[in-house]
Amino acid sequence: TNSAYDSTKHVAESQQPSTNANMLVGDSAVRKSLSFQWVQVFGPRPEIKSDDAAFEYASVLFAAGISLLFLATKAHNAAQPGEPGEQLKKLSYNTFLQAAGIFAAAEKLVTTLSLPALDGVHDVKPALLKAMATMALAQAQEITVDRAISKNNAQSLICKLARDTCLKFQMATLTLDPEDSTTGGRLGKLRFYLRYKTFVYESVAFEYAGLMLAEKKNESGSSFGDAVAAALRAVVQGKMAAQESKKYA
């Protein structure tokens, strides 16, 4: 695969902005000098307010991460077959990595400065920020899977990439605060979306595992039954994905 699609996590970490949080540590007068108000993406309260500059800093990073996710998705959806489409996919891939780096930086800021929990505030919770960073990495990896399939790469490679993508979406799901992700609203829909994507890529992984087993059954000694079992598992995971899609749609 193209080097631009490799080392996803390493590249995402390099996208993290410098938080330069020293001026906000401790009882800094700068940290508590102003009051800030933001509109939440997640959470039951639409507007939230704090007199902590660390809250403002984390909220700005969160908003930047959400904007990058929107731009990355828009670029990917606009991609058509051909060279211009490939460039849009690379732009989308890199933008997803930038979003992952932004969310990771926000989580590090909130954790380092021990930002106190605010009632009804979800956007700057460390668990949600970590889940968003992991999700953005998974979305970047989706483009890698799509590219590997379109290039007719080896079935073993596609299976491995799909499995890795599945695990990233699964990790994002598990990272969410269980209480937050079962309360409904946008957080509930986020959880359903992550579960949907987990099942989709688990299905893809089993599909290509089945194809690989069917092709190599004589070499490896595996039976044709193993290939059929993998294919059936792919169908089951696909049906589960369809069920989850109805919940978040």
Side-chain angles (χ1 to χ4, degrees):
T1 59
N2 190 293
S3 61
Y5 293 85
D6 296 335
S7 306
T8 307
K9 186 175 181 181
H10 173 74
V11 176
E13 290 172 349
S14 71
Q15 303 290 334
Q16 293 185 22
S18 173
T19 55
N20 192 23
N22 292 334
M23 66 178 182
L24 303 179
V25 174
D27 298 324
S28 168
V30 174
R31 180 168 176 172
K32 300 286 186 175
S33 61
L34 294 172
S35 180
F36 303 96
Q37 182 168 309
W38 277 84
V39 176
Q40 285 198 102
V41 172
F42 300 101
R45 291 171 50 194
E47 293 186 355
I48 47 179
K49 182 182 291 185
S50 173
D51 62 355
D52 193 333
F55 163 80
E56 169 80 350
Y57 203 162
S59 297
V60 169
L61 290 173
F62 179 84
I66 291 293
S67 296
L68 288 169
L69 288 181
F70 174 79
L71 292 172
T73 302
K74 187 176 180 180
H76 185 262
N77 291 342
Q80 299 293 327
E83 183 59 27
E86 281 296 307
Q87 293 305 313
L88 279 174
K89 287 181 181 180
K90 288 182 180 180
L91 173 63
S92 175
Y93 176 86
N94 289 326
T95 306
F96 275 127
L97 292 185
Q98 290 172 351
I102 290 287
F103 287 123
E107 186 220 344
K108 182 178 180 181
L109 174 77
V110 170
T111 304
T112 302
L113 297 179
S114 301
L115 183 65
L118 300 174
D119 183 43
V121 174
H122 292 80
D123 287 3
V124 294
K125 276 189 172 183
L128 177 60
L129 292 169
K130 186 173 183 179
M132 295 296 286
T134 307
M135 180 188 75
L137 288 176
Q139 289 174 303
Q141 186 87 347
E142 284 187 280
I143 299 172
T144 308
V145 175
D146 177 66
R147 186 171 187 271
I149 293 173
S150 66
K151 296 289 185 181
N152 292 318
N153 287 149
Q155 293 167 351
S156 58
L157 174 63
I158 297 173
C159 178
K160 181 178 183 301
L161 290 172
R163 180 60 180 162
D164 186 52
T165 306
C166 165
L167 292 175
K168 282 182 169 65
F169 278 117
Q170 184 180 56
M171 181 58 67
T173 309
L174 296 174
T175 302
L176 287 173
D177 187 323
E179 293 183 1
D180 291 343
S181 60
T182 56
T183 55
R186 288 177 175 172
L187 273 173
K189 285 184 177 293
L190 175 63
R191 181 173 180 274
F192 289 137
Y193 170 78
L194 293 172
R195 283 172 54 83
Y196 161 68
K197 287 292 188 177
T198 299
F199 289 132
V200 165
Y201 284 96
E202 192 167 18
S203 176
V204 173
F206 275 116
E207 177 186 352
Y208 278 89
L211 292 172
M212 185 172 57
L213 287 170
E215 188 176 273
K216 295 186 176 181
K217 64 181 185 298
N218 294 328
E219 301 173 15
S220 63
S222 62
S223 67
F224 187 70
D226 293 332
V228 172
L232 290 174
R233 184 67 184 274
V235 172
V236 170
Q237 299 308 106
K239 289 181 178 179
M240 294 179 73
Q243 292 175 0
E244 291 297 321
S245 69
K246 295 176 182 177
K247 295 177 184 178
Y248 87 84

